[in-house]
């Protein structure tokens, strides 16, 4: 009798180009193969802007437009409970969100004034600061896009690859070049990456989006980026950058991992291109849910990833190096701080990133009136004004406070973020910006009696869906939007963090709150923490050890 042979299951192909899997395995990959997303600009300028919204090819509208920073926004009046059941064309409004990329967060007052003018002229005075240092406008008509590009590009701004399956904006320290504590100023590397690679067909077709952070300080949430370079001093070779790969949040969060490699500043663009090349060639393209670098790093491990980077892409060995220091407190750069040249920088806190064109114009005027022309956006939806002379600090702070941009905000305003939410986003389930702002105001009033005891930050991050654009899993109190008891509500994550408390928040079974219950819940949790914590204990530490009943 012949022996029974058990067939060995064949692993399904993941669409990895380097393994010869070049045939598109889903509609997104087919769209990209049919035409590079960068090519849609010519159609926007020559066809769609002249013929109007109805003339736009659907493959361009919901695909390639993103390569130029354009998403259709949500049609008004569609409730969150309908988000997952409607077809894309039913959710689309005939207006766009336009994302302006601000690499390194670096803005001049001239650039800020142009953004303000574009907002008031074309975007119904809307503007949001994102937690990736970008500026987003809404209510953009396709007919106006070429004129907007012309005005932005005249002052060195761009929407190129602000969205799409491409290298997105490069995060950089808001205090690059001016902070005494930074290991080095990596601005050159950020600008060189822009010059060489952004808008180039070399990396205009990646499996999905690719996020980068480069800083001489650990102040750019490097643990949640696809690739990050963080300043560190090598005991023999001096100042350089430590290389991390594979971070990302959304529905399957993973923290980036160190490759253990020290990279000198002049080699950062090449190392960056090597990591992006691995993602392009070996990244998974079959399922969009697995088409992020974090899954490849998780499957390969850092040793194999580093070996492939060195042998196939850099063709040289990387030097081993030490890890960067872990800060005792997270950086947000809010407040008044000395620069290394004797001047000061002033960080201010717009309420959950919501500003307006009118406000940005007034801010540009205020900054120039007090002797500066440089600003920075931050990875926390905040703004920083650089180069303020000592005698101008308090007058500027007073003027900014009058504009609604406090440099000495409450703890809750300082440490809160919110994504776009139901107002404009087609993925959202609940409203976020207004709710977060109202919750901050309520907490400021209700917890005034314990404000002096809040000596350790408690971050409050509000997200309208599971995709974690507001980094809910790494917040002290992270709120993931969903329908609760038939109304807007949130699943609660507690005790997440980056840096000293790097890890994902505790998710208790059944711990959900409605939007109406949110101020009561946060007040209750903060008071319990203050009453029960040990001396010097941070919120994340307390949340990790607290009994479940204390977190309800």
């Amino acid at each position: 009798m012949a022996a029974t042979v058990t067939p060995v299951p064949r692993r399904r192909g993941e669409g990895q180009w380097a393994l010869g899997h070049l045939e598109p395995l889903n509609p997104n990959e087919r769209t990209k193969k049919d035409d590079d997303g960068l090519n849609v600009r010519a159609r926007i300028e020559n066809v769609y802007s002249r013929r109007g919204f109805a003339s736009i090819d659907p493959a361009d509208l919901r695909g390639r437009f993103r390569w130029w920073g354009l998403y259709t926004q949500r049609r008004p009046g569609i409730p969150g409970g309908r988000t997952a059941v409607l077809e894309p064309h039913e959710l689309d409004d005939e207006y766009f969100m336009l994302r302006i990329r601000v690499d390194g967060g670096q803005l001049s007052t001239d650039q800020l004034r142009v953004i303000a003018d574009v907002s008031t002229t074309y975007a119904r005075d809307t503007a949001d600061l994102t937690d990736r240092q970008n500026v987003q406008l809404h209510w953009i008509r396709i007919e106006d896009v070429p004129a907007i590009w012309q005005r932005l590009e005249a002052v060195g701004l761009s929407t190129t690859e602000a969205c799409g399956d491409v290298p997105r904006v490069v995060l950089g320290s808001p205090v690059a070049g001016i902070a005494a504590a930074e290991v080095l100023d990596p601005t050159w590397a950020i600008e060189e990456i822009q010059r060489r690679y952004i808008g180039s067909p070399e990396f205009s077709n990646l499996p999905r989006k690719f996020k980068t952070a480069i800083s001489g300080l650990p102040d750019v949430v490097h643990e949640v980026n696809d690739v990050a370079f963080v300043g560190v001093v090598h005991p023999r070779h001096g100042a350089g950058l430590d290389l991390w790969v594979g971070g990302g949040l959304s529905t399957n969060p993973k923290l980036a991992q160190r490759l253990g490699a020290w990279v000198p500043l002049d080699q950062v663009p090449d190392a960056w291109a090597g990591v992006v090349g691995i993602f392009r060639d070996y990244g998974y393209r079959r399922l969009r849910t697995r088409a992020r670098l974090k899954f490849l790093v998780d499957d390969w491990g850092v040793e194999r990833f580093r070996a492939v980077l060195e042998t196939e892409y850099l063709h040289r060995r990387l030097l081993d190096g030490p890890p960067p220091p872990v800060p005792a407190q997270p950086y947000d750069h809010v407040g008044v701080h000395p620069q290394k040249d004797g001047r000061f920088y002033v960080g201010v806190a717009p309420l959950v990133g919501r500003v307006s064109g009118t406000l940005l114009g007034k801010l540009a005027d205020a900054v120039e009136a007090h002797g500066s022309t440089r600003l920075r956006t931050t990875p926390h939806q905040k703004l920083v004004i650089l180069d303020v002379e000592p005698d101008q600090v308090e007058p500027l702070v007073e003027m900014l406070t009058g504009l609604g941009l406090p440099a000495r905000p409450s703890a809750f305003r300082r440490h809160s973020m919110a994504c776009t939410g139901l107002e404009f986003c087609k993925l959202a389930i609940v409203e976020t910006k207004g709710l977060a702002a109202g919750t901050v105001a309520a907490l400021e009033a209700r917890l005034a009696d314990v404000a002096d005891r809040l000596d350790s930050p408690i971050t409050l991050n509000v997200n309208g869906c599971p995709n974690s654009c507001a980094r809910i899993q790494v917040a002290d109190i992270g709120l993931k939007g969903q329908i609760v008891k038939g109304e807007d509500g949130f699943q609660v994550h507690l005790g997440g963090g980056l840096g000293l408390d790097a890890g994902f928040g505790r998710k208790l079974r059944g711990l959900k709150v409605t939007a109406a219950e949110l101020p009561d819940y946060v007040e209750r949790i903060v008071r319990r923490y203050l009453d029960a914590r040990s001396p010097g204990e941070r919120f994340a530490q307390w949340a990790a050890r607290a009994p479940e009943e204390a977190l309800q």
Side-chain angles (χ1 to χ4, degrees):
M1 182 176 178
T4 302
V5 177
T6 303
V8 177
R10 295 181 62 186
R11 184 167 182 175
R12 193 171 182 182
E14 293 284 0
Q16 296 165 281
W17 286 0
L19 301 184
H21 303 156
L22 301 178
E23 186 61 27
L25 297 174
N26 61 55
N28 299 84
E29 290 300 309
R30 168 55 63 189
T31 295
K32 289 185 288 183
K33 185 173 183 179
D34 287 346
D35 189 30
D36 192 310
L38 294 173
N39 295 337
V40 80
R41 175 161 178 159
R43 293 192 288 277
I44 292 172
E45 292 176 323
N46 300 320
V47 180
Y48 303 143
S49 65
R50 299 178 183 183
R51 298 182 183 176
F53 187 90
S55 69
I56 303 172
D57 185 292
D60 286 343
L61 181 67
R62 300 183 190 96
R64 303 183 190 99
F65 268 38
R66 300 177 185 183
W67 273 242
W68 291 95
L70 289 160
Y71 280 94
T72 50
Q73 64 189 39
R74 187 187 191 92
R75 184 176 297 172
I78 299 175
R82 301 284 290 163
T83 296
V85 299
L86 295 179
E87 295 296 322
H89 70 273
E90 296 176 292
L91 287 166
D92 286 334
D93 199 359
E94 295 190 1
Y95 295 92
F96 294 88
M97 178 274 284
L98 179 67
R99 181 177 295 156
I100 303 166
R101 64 182 293 158
V102 187
D103 291 87
Q106 300 192 25
L107 284 171
S108 69
T109 48
D110 286 343
Q111 290 173 324
L112 188 66
R113 194 169 281 112
V114 168
I115 293 173
D117 289 344
V118 169
S119 169
T120 56
T121 303
Y122 301 107
R124 300 189 188 181
D125 205 24
T126 58
D128 286 332
L129 307 176
T130 78
D131 60 6
R132 293 203 62 80
Q133 296 183 280
N134 295 312
V135 181
Q136 292 184 175
L137 309 179
H138 294 281
W139 299 110
I140 299 295
R141 301 186 319 138
I142 191 63
E143 292 86 349
D144 297 325
V145 170
I148 293 171
W149 280 337
Q150 185 176 30
R151 295 179 70 169
L152 293 173
E153 291 167 3
V155 292
L157 292 170
S158 171
T159 70
T160 310
E161 296 184 333
C163 316
D165 295 352
V166 292
R168 305 281 186 93
V169 67
V170 179
L171 296 188
S173 173
V175 293
I178 65 168
E182 71 177 350
V183 171
L184 49 71
D185 177 3
T187 300
W188 171 84
I190 295 174
E191 293 175 346
E192 188 68 3
I193 287 169
Q194 281 185 277
R195 187 186 69 80
R196 293 188 201 175
Y197 302 114
I198 303 307
S200 166
E202 184 174 358
F203 295 132
S204 62
N205 182 354
L206 302 179
R208 273 195 73 188
K209 58 188 172 184
F210 187 87
K211 296 182 178 181
T212 302
I214 305 175
S215 178
L217 288 167
D219 64 348
V220 286
V221 296
H222 59 275
E223 301 100 322
V224 293
N225 282 266
D226 293 283
V227 66
F229 298 84
V230 186
V232 67
V233 177
H234 193 284
R236 289 182 55 198
H237 302 285
L241 297 110
D242 190 43
L243 176 53
W244 297 59
V245 296
L249 296 176
S250 193
T251 55
N252 198 326
K254 298 180 185 295
L255 294 180
Q257 302 180 58
R258 294 184 60 237
L259 288 189
W262 178 88
V263 183
L265 180 61
D266 64 353
Q267 294 179 20
V268 167
D270 289 342
W272 178 90
V275 174
V276 183
I278 290 176
F279 182 46
R280 177 196 60 203
D281 300 337
Y282 287 98
Y284 304 145
R285 293 175 181 263
R286 181 171 65 87
L287 298 175
R288 295 285 287 178
T289 53
R290 278 180 51 82
R292 291 292 303 273
L293 185 66
K294 61 187 178 184
F295 295 103
L296 183 67
V297 172
D298 201 41
D299 289 346
W300 277 11
V302 293
E303 290 184 6
R304 179 181 176 188
F305 192 97
R306 178 171 170 174
V308 171
L309 176 63
E310 292 173 336
T311 58
E312 295 187 29
Y313 291 84
L314 298 179
H315 307 293
R316 63 177 182 271
R317 293 291 302 274
L318 293 166
L319 291 171
D320 293 340
V326 178
Q329 294 277 5
Y331 288 94
D332 66 9
H333 304 299
V334 174
V336 178
H337 306 274
Q339 299 182 180
K340 62 184 179 183
D341 61 3
R343 294 181 291 183
F344 290 81
Y345 67 88
V346 179
V348 298
L351 190 50
V352 294
R354 175 58 53 88
V355 287
S356 68
T358 298
L359 176 59
L360 295 179
K362 291 178 179 178
L363 174 61
D365 293 340
V367 170
E368 289 183 353
H370 292 83
S372 177
T373 60
R374 294 202 298 162
L375 305 96
R376 302 273 172 86
T377 54
T378 85
H380 304 282
Q381 300 180 339
K382 307 298 188 287
L383 277 165
V384 178
I385 298 96
L386 309 186
D387 307 332
V388 183
E389 297 291 344
D391 64 346
Q392 293 296 307
V393 169
E394 288 307 317
L396 176 61
V397 167
E398 183 178 354
M399 179 172 284
L400 294 172
T401 301
L403 293 175
L405 298 171
R408 300 181 180 101
S410 72
F412 297 104
R413 180 167 181 150
R414 178 171 182 166
H415 301 298
S416 295
M417 296 198 309
C419 74
T420 300
L422 193 66
E423 183 180 9
F424 296 117
C425 179
K426 295 182 295 181
L427 300 177
I429 301 168
V430 303
E431 198 274 335
T432 56
K433 291 284 190 184
L435 174 66
T439 300
V440 166
L443 296 173
E444 288 172 338
R446 295 183 186 192
L447 293 169
D449 61 313
V450 296
D452 59 340
R453 296 170 59 194
L454 289 170
D455 52 2
S456 182
I458 301 177
T459 53
L460 177 68
N461 294 16
V462 183
N463 214 82
C465 77
N467 289 319
S468 202
C469 294
R471 303 199 293 265
I472 52 174
Q473 294 101 329
V474 292
D476 288 303
I477 304 173
L479 302 163
K480 180 176 74 177
Q482 57 184 234
I483 302 301
V484 177
K485 302 175 185 177
E487 57 185 286
D488 283 7
F490 301 91
Q491 183 179 59
V492 181
H493 299 246
L494 293 172
L498 298 174
L500 201 60
D501 296 306
F504 303 127
R506 184 176 174 184
K507 187 167 61 175
L508 275 66
R509 183 179 301 174
L511 181 50
K512 299 178 176 66
V513 297
T514 66
E517 295 167 339
L518 186 57
D520 292 339
Y521 174 75
V522 177
E523 178 188 3
R524 184 165 67 246
I525 291 299
V526 171
R527 289 190 183 277
R528 287 175 180 171
Y529 158 65
L530 292 175
D531 290 341
R533 68 173 177 172
S534 303
E537 188 174 33
R538 297 179 299 278
F539 184 90
Q541 295 173 305
W542 172 78
R545 69 168 179 83
E548 288 196 11
E549 57 269 21
L551 303 177
Q552 298 294 328

